[in-house]
């Protein structure tokens, strides 16, 4: 009986490991942040984020928009505030996935076009309900697609939120000293 229980337990552990969410480690100039991604809720968004991570797209990009008490945004500009050329197409908005823009969640940045997200992302510093998907009855259906969350390093995110900011050309809320994303390394894909 003990041997059967041990075999069953080992089988369950393998099953849980097979369904574990992908995780990435983002190394910034202010520390490391570990992110768990949700491919079951935002499959195309996670796929594109992992593609860009695998191909080194995020290396040497910065957190270019930092608003304490709101969010930190990065992944699209270098430290000279030059936009990096993207390799991936615009994504169909996946905000209608049941996930909320809550403190510590990772979501896609986009323009006014709800289907324009490509590479830029943000981490919510607080619950930002106004960024969530709404029903058509609420008058605004498209929100910002949450596709992951911080599982380690929220202290680093909060440190980034406190850096002094200013203007860079017509961009506002830009850190005076660039907060560089040195790498985004995939720890596990499944």
């Amino acid at each position: 009986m003990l041997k059967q229980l041990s075999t069953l337990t080992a089988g369950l552990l393998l099953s849980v490991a097979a369904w574990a969410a992908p995780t990435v480690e983002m190394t910034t100039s202010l520390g490391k942040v570990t992110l768990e991604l949700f491919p079951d809720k935002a499959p195309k968004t996670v796929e594109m984020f992992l593609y860009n991570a695998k191909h080194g797209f995020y290396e040497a990009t910065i957190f270019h928009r930092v608003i304490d008490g709101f969010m930190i945004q990065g992944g699209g500009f270098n430290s000279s505030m030059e936009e990096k050329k993207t390799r991936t197409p615009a994504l169909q908005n996946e905000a209608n996935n049941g996930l909320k823009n809550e403190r510590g969640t990772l979501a896609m940045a986009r323009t006014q076009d709800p289907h324009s997200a490509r590479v830029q992302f943000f981490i919510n510093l607080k619950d930002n309900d106004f960024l969530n998907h709404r029903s058509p009855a609420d008058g605004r259906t498209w929100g910002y697609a949450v596709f992951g969350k911080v599982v380690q390093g929220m202290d680093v995110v909060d440190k980034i939120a406190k850096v002094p900011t200013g203007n860079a050309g017509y961009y506002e809320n830009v850190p005076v000293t660039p907060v560089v994303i040195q790498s985004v390394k995939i720890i596990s894909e499944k």
Side-chain angles (χ1 to χ4, degrees), residues 80-124:
S80 299
M81 285 303 292
E82 297 164 335
E83 194 164 5
K84 196 166 180 180
K85 184 164 176 51
T86 60
R87 304 176 199 166
T88 52
L91 292 165
Q92 183 71 25
N93 190 308
E94 294 182 308
N96 187 17
N97 62 15
L99 299 174
K100 307 289 183 202
N101 282 277
E102 297 172 339
R103 177 170 164 75
T105 57
L106 176 68
M108 288 305 287
R110 61 172 175 78
T111 66
Q112 294 296 325
D113 176 354
H115 308 293
S116 62
R118 288 178 180 263
V119 293
Q120 292 184 37
F121 56 85
F122 61 93
I123 299 172
N124 288 290

Side-chain angles (χ1 to χ4, degrees), residues 9-86:
T9 302
L12 287 173
L13 289 175
L14 285 174
S15 295
V16 169
W19 288 101
T23 54
V24 298
E25 182 181 76
M26 180 181 299
T27 302
T28 76
S29 54
L30 292 181
K32 293 182 179 184
V33 178
T34 303
L35 304 161
E36 178 182 326
L37 307 180
F38 306 132
D40 58 325
K41 298 287 189 175
K44 289 297 181 189
T45 305
V46 169
E47 179 184 348
M48 286 300 124
F49 185 81
L50 290 173
Y51 174 88
N52 284 307
K54 281 181 195 174
H55 290 88
F57 180 85
Y58 293 116
E59 291 174 12
T61 61
I62 61 169
F63 281 97
H64 64 276
R65 187 171 176 229
V66 172
I67 304 173
D68 191 19
F70 176 38
M71 60 89 220
I72 62 172
Q73 181 176 335
F77 290 84
N78 66 24
S79 58
S80 299
M81 285 303 292
E82 297 164 335
E83 194 164 5
K84 196 166 180 180
K85 184 164 176 51
T86 60

